[in-house]
Structure formats: structure tokens, C-alpha cells
Amino acid sequence: MAASRRIKLLAGVLSGSLVLAAFLASQARAETPESYPSKPVRIVVPLPPGGATDSMARMLAERLASASGQPFIVENRPGASGAIGADAVARAKPDGYTLMVSIGSTVSLVPFTTKVPYKPDAFLPISELARTPQVMYANPNIPAKDLPSLVKWAKANPGKLSFASYSVGTQGHFAGIRLNQLAGIDMLHVAYKGSAPAMQDLLGGQVQVMFDALLPAMNYVKSGKLLALATAGTERSPLAPNVPTFRELGYPEMEQFNGNFGLYAPAGLAPALAGRLEALARRAVNSPEYLSKVKELGLMEPETTQIASFSKRVREDQAKWSSFVNRIGYKPEM
């Protein structure tokens, strides 16, 4: 009798397990691109909190959550020129639940300047989020108030100026290297783990120069805590009409140091799901609230929110930067 009851009990447990497994399988099959996302989505930022990239990610996450009804959670994973966070995304399952918001150099430049564990094609570019020119900032305690006088002083005092970048092998790093070459000066490079700590040392005078986004640093310029010497934009920014372009000052080659922010997914994301994510991102990026905040940050609107055109841009940038790195004979610092 006892054995019979145990058999019946075991049969019931097995039956229940099969029903549960069937239910879970049906739920997994029920997920379609139209229902994405059906759970929280993680957005990795490969840089510390407080910088422009972090601000962009949080702006986007808010709009994506509003459009989809699911939380988009920002996770900062800084280090190694963005490679730590980027590698976490590259290794993630390409199911749309791990994404990355990053400056373009993480994908287009860093793979050619540092030993990263991911390949340049490890990501699917989804949408450009904003564009930004690099601005050359200086601590006001230096004995120069504009770029020509800074170059003159630096030539007379080689090795006495240092410039900060938000990480090794990034656009801010290469902007300093390139200006050294073009102007015949010798600014020393100091790398940080993100723009926020680099900016703090620039304000404190531990470094004298930095190449970074227009805002929030321009607020320090208005208060007299920093100087803005030049911008890499093709024209002066309406938010900083008194800041000349590098071209105006005789350095047109510096225009290549214009950056962008983008949304990326791991390569291998199913086309239908990628299309759904593209549509959500386009809706978020084109919302009046988002575009208003982009302008408040001193950024320019994205040129494309389409996977095809953004992917083409990223591949072109990769080719450009690979050629540039080889041409100047740069040797990785790490």
C-alpha cells in the first residue's frame, strides 16, 4: 500500500514538473519582437558616473522605459579605456537584454590602440544618440589665455604642460598627441578613468589642458574656472560663440576629433529583434524631451537613428582610426 502511494506521489511530481516545463517553454516561445522587452534591460556604460556618456545613457534609459513599459537600468563598468564594460557587453547573450551606451571611440578607436579582449565587430550599432565636438580646455593659471600664446609658451618650456584624457587610446588622448605634432610642442599625457575625475584635476591645476565635450565643462568657463581655447567643430557652437575653431587658428586637421555617442548591442542580435530595438531607440531619441536635453548638454542631434546607416558610419570610423594610428606610429601604452 505504501509503495503504491509513493508511486502515485512520484507520478504526480513528475506530471507537475512536466506541466511547469511546458509552461515555461511556451512562455519563452511567446516572446516576440513585438513584446520586447518583457523584463528589465541592462544598459552598460563603460565609463564612470558623472560624465557626458553617463548622462546620455540615463537620458536614453528614461525615454526607453517610458516607451516600452519596462525598466532600462544603467550600470557603470569603467576601466581599461572602456574595455572592461565593453567586453561584458560583447560576451553577453545577444537577446536584447544587455546593451551599451558609449562614446564612439570605445568601438571605433580603442580596439586599435589597446589590447582589448573583444574584436571591432563584436557590437551591432543600433542608433547614434548625439554628436559632440572636442573642446580644448585649460586651467586659467597657465601663462597663456589663448591657443597661439599657449603654443608659444609650450615651445619655450617643453615638458611643462600636461594634458588629461578620460582614458588611454581615446579621442581626447589622440587630440593631444595630434596637436603636439601639428604645433611642434611637447605636452605630457595623463590618463584617467573617465572624464569626471580628469575634469576635477584640471580644475585643481594638477593638469593644465584637457580635450572634452562642450558641456558641462563650458559652465566652468562661464564662471572663470576654465578657459576654452578651441573647438574641433566645423563651425563655432551657438552655445560658445566666442570659442574659435581649430581651423580658424590654423589647425584644420583637428576637425577629425569630433565625437558621438551611440547605442550598441552584442553582435548576433536577431534581425527582427534588432529592428524592434531600433524602433524603440528612434522613438526615444526623436522625442522632444530627449532632444531638449541634448541641447542642454551642448550636444548636437544625431544624424542617423537607423541600424544600416549607423553601422556604415561606425565601420568607416574604424577604418579611419586604424589608418590614423598606423600613420602616426602610435605604440599602445597598455
Side-chain angles (χ1 to χ4, degrees):
M1 181 68 69
S4 176
R5 283 198 298 270
R6 285 197 298 271
I7 291 173
K8 288 182 179 180
L9 179 61
L10 180 58
V13 171
L14 290 173
S15 177
S17 298
L18 291 172
V19 170
L20 178 60
F23 171 76
L24 293 175
S26 67
Q27 288 296 100
R29 288 194 300 269
E31 170 115 344
T32 64
E34 290 72 26
S35 66
Y36 169 84
S38 60
K39 60 181 181 181
V41 179
R42 179 176 63 145
I43 298 180
V44 174
V45 175
L47 294 168
T53 308
D54 182 62
S55 297
M56 291 299 305
R58 296 182 188 280
M59 287 166 48
L60 179 68
E62 180 182 354
R63 300 312 309 162
L64 287 173
S66 176
S68 68
Q70 288 288 345
F72 280 72
I73 302 168
V74 176
E75 176 185 327
N76 296 88
R77 298 194 64 176
S81 303
I84 292 176
D87 186 52
V89 176
R91 294 175 181 272
K93 184 179 179 181
D95 58 3
Y97 288 97
T98 300
L99 307 173
M100 179 173 72
V101 167
S102 180
I103 51 176
S105 61
T106 303
V107 173
S108 300
L109 175 57
V110 171
F112 304 106
T113 61
T114 62
K115 294 180 179 179
V116 296
Y118 57 88
K119 296 183 182 298
D121 60 356
F123 308 97
L124 174 65
I126 300 295
S127 175
E128 190 175 58
L129 302 177
R131 295 173 291 130
T132 178
Q134 292 281 319
V135 178
M136 183 180 181
Y137 297 101
N139 186 286
N141 292 327
I142 64 172
K145 301 305 176 185
D146 55 33
L147 183 56
S149 58
L150 180 142
V151 169
K152 182 178 180 181
W153 189 87
K155 286 182 176 180
N157 299 272
K160 291 189 177 182
L161 278 181
S162 59
F163 75 96
S165 75
Y166 42 83
S167 197
V168 172
T170 58
Q171 283 197 4
H173 178 191
F174 276 89
I177 289 178
R178 188 57 174 148
L179 184 61
N180 274 346
Q181 294 176 333
L182 294 170
I185 58 179
D186 185 28
M187 295 186 295
L188 303 177
H189 176 231
V190 181
Y192 290 80
K193 293 183 178 180
S195 61
M199 184 58 65
Q200 287 303 310
D201 273 8
L202 178 65
L203 290 165
Q206 286 81 9
V207 290
Q208 292 76 47
V209 173
M210 181 177 174
F211 298 84
D212 202 13
L214 186 66
L215 291 179
M218 192 55 65
N219 294 326
Y220 296 122
V221 175
K222 292 178 181 178
S223 64
K225 295 179 179 179
L226 288 180
L227 301 173
L229 303 184
T231 172
T234 55
E235 58 186 22
R236 294 192 183 195
S237 168
L239 294 178
N242 296 324
V243 181
T245 65
F246 279 106
R247 178 175 287 276
E248 291 177 64
L249 299 174
Y251 303 99
E253 297 91 340
M254 294 296 291
E255 282 183 4
Q256 76 181 89
F257 296 99
N258 284 308
N260 66 4
F261 302 91
L263 174 66
Y264 302 86
L269 185 65
L273 190 54
R276 166 65 173 166
L277 182 57
E278 175 190 56
L280 285 172
R282 183 182 302 114
R283 178 179 172 184
V285 170
N286 288 331
S287 68
E289 298 88 352
Y290 179 91
L291 293 175
S292 176
K293 290 183 178 180
V294 164
K295 291 180 180 179
E296 288 176 10
L297 288 172
L299 305 173
M300 297 177 285
E301 295 182 7
E303 289 185 339
T304 177
T305 56
Q306 295 181 339
I307 289 176
S309 53
F310 186 42
S311 294
K312 182 174 182 290
R313 173 88 52 77
V314 169
R315 304 312 172 206
E316 290 173 349
D317 285 346
Q318 288 174 336
K320 176 187 73 175
W321 284 115
S322 176
S323 174
F324 176 80
V325 169
N326 290 331
R327 187 171 68 251
I328 67 172
Y330 173 74
K331 301 299 182 183
E333 297 186 11
M334 57 177 291

